Each structure stands twice: as C-alpha cells, then as structure tokens.
Amino acid sequence: MTFYGYKRPDGRVGVRNKVLILPASVCASDTTRIIAQQVVGSVTFNNQQGCSQVASDQQLTMDVMAGYAANPNVYGTVVVSLGCENCQMDLVVKAIQERTNKPIKQVIIQEAGGTLKAVDLAVRYAKEMVAEASMLQKEEFPISELIVGTECGGSDPTSGLAANPVIGQMSDLVVAAGGTSILSETTEFIGAEHILARRAATPEVHDRIFEIVHRYEAALRLVGEEVREGNPSPGNKAGGITTLEEKSLGCIHKGGHSPVNAVYDYAKQVEPKQGLVIMDTPGNDPSSVAAMVAGGAQVVVFSSGRGTPTGNPISPVIKITGNKLTFAKMEDNIDFDASPLIYGQRTLEELGDDLLQMVVDTANGKQTKAESLGFTEMAIARVCNYV
C-alpha cells in the first residue's frame, strides 16, 4: 500500500502542504491570527505560552514550536515574536533549524513598528511561501514513510473493547509495513505499565517505561496531589469506566501487539521507520496530540467513546468510536465507527484494514471531519500539568 505526499528538503514526507505562521509567545498570537486570516494556505494557533516560564517549562514550549515547524506537513514557517518574551526569536529560529532546513522567515512586532506593519510584512512573506509551496508535485511513497500518532479521550468501555483494539490492529499493520506508530498518554499507562514493559525491545526501553510512569506520579505528589483524583475523568465515569487500571488496560490496546522500540520525551523528534514507539505525554488530549505532531506525526488517529471534536492545525486527526450511539449522535465529528466489532458484524482484522485505508485516504488528501470544520485547537503541556 502506498500514498502520495510531498518530499521535503530534510528528507521527510508530508501529507499536507501548509505554511505555518508561528507565534513565539502569547503576545504574538493575535497578530499571527490576523496574518493567517489573510493568507489562504497558511495556518496558526493560539500559543498561550512563550513567556514567564521556568526553564524546564519553557523547553516544552520550545520543543512544540520547533516540532511544528519541522513537521513534514509544513512547507515553511514565518515566525512572529513580540520581541521581549522569554522565547526570543533567535532561540526559536535556532531550535527550528536544528530540526529542519525548510524555509523560514522572521518578523518581530516591536522592531517592525507595531502590529499593522508586522502583519503587512508577514503577509508578504507568507504569500511568497504559499506560492512556492503550490509548485510542489505529489509523489508516491510507501507506508514506511508514515508516522501515525494514536490518542484516546472521552473514553468509555467501548474504547477498550472496540475502538482502541482496532487502532492497535491498524498500528500493527503500519509497523509491519515499516512505518512508525506512536503510543501516548503516560498517565493512562498506570496499572498496565508492566504489560507494556514486557513488550520492550531492550532492557533500556523496559526501564524507561517504568521511569516515565513513576516520574508523573512523583511530580503530582510533590504538589500534594494524586493522579487518581483526576483520572478517570467525570466523563469516563459517566460512560462506565470504574478505575484508572481499567482505563489504562483500554489505552494500551492502541499499541497493538508490536514490540516497543523506543521511548521519546515530550515533543521530541521521532525517527521514521521505527515501528512502535512511546511518547511521554500527559492524558490531556490536545497537549498530547500536539506533542506527537511536534514529533513528526503526519496523521493522528484518536478514539473517543463519548465523542470529541478535537483537531490540530498541522496534522489531520481521524476520530474513531466504538460506541454506536456516539457515532449516531456525533457524526459531524466522528470519522470511523468501530462498533460492529462489539456486535460481531465485522472482525478486528477487517476493521483494522478499513482504518488503515482511511489513514491512507487522509494522507492522500481526504479531509477529516475536524479539518472540514476548521478545528485547530491545541495546548502545550506545562510542568506538573500531567493529568
């Protein structure tokens, strides 16, 4: 199976061809919104961080910003900063250039002479990039070039019974084809981390799985909190999930049955053709998806028993549910119905094949429901914000 995408100068393959208007901080976010509204083919997001952060917290923000610019779905980036924030322009540009050699332009609002002059300059840069991007032709590539992120949120018992096993089947197919699948949400491994660790390809990966789980629990205890006080969430409980361990057993199904080959820190660059890997992300869905996209995921597959509209500005998000009532009620948001597995109407293998075909169709340009609605909401993890 193959797909058609865009070969980037850094060797990676994109399934979208966007120009990113990147706000270096919260103080530049409204300006980037104005810029993106004037340039068809460009995207931006509301960055709530970038200033007034301690070093470790700022690093998470820097990694997401650099990763978004480096994501192969992005042709080039116009970085917009206020000028006096912690995430200074030179730091942001350096972080991006350490990951990719794609086109990059810079606009500093305070140096440009205010918002209107900054907008005028950035719009010119962005339109030039969009014109350049439009000249690229799609080429055919094997699935081994794909990095697929997997996520679950608003879970109910059907997530563990149907949607996540179908994602796991799809994940195994991607891995078998030589591609990469990312399993995320460390706090939702708790109670099942020993099962994941048994699948580690090396002793180092085995130990890292336990390390990231214990680190999250310890970080919350430092501020007098317990992860079980916020997880499962009220929506999980209303859907019928009774314990964190039950939720975790459902969560890890997204990783299928492949060996775990690596563990990546939040938003770090994921290498292609790595098989199944784990990224250390929180259970908060938008910030977990953001990390995988920053790591290079061109497509994200997201299960939700209760239903969610979550999208992303850089990579398409495919929504899947195992709850037939949710699919009927939220058909505007959900792309794939996995409930036939529960009722014996379809096999796991059949549904896994269908989901992989949807991933390929999405890679080839078919819009997801979130894309068609223009949903680009996202978040970036904060130190101690792990539930």
Side-chain angles (χ1 to χ4, degrees), residues 256-274:
H257 298 88
S258 303
V260 181
N261 292 321
V263 177
Y264 286 88
D265 287 332
Y266 185 88
K268 296 298 186 182
Q269 185 69 59
V270 174
E271 294 303 315
K273 304 177 183 178
Q274 279 241 302

Side-chain angles (χ1 to χ4, degrees), residues 6 31 35 117 122 168 246 264:
Y6 302 95
T31 301
I35 296 162
K117 290 184 176 64
E246 181 184 350
Y264 286 88

Side-chain angles (χ1 to χ4, degrees), residues 215-238:
R215 185 174 64 191
Y216 270 110
E217 292 186 286
L220 284 164
R221 290 187 183 122
L222 282 174
V223 293
E225 301 292 343
E226 283 287 341
V227 66
R228 288 164 182 79
E229 293 179 5
N231 206 358
S233 70
N236 297 151
K237 295 173 184 176

Side-chain angles (χ1 to χ4, degrees), residues 46-63:
N46 189 357
N47 184 359
Q48 286 294 302
Q49 278 101 267
C51 200
S52 304
Q53 295 175 270
V54 297
S56 58
D57 195 43
Q58 181 176 322
Q59 189 61 52
L60 298 177
T61 301
M62 290 288 293
D63 287 338

Side-chain angles (χ1 to χ4, degrees), residues 151-152 184-189 251 254 279 281-283 285 288:
E151 182 74 16
C152 57
S184 64
E185 300 179 285
T186 305
T187 51
E188 297 181 16
F189 301 164
C251 170
K254 301 194 305 294
M279 181 170 282
T281 74
D285 301 322
S288 180

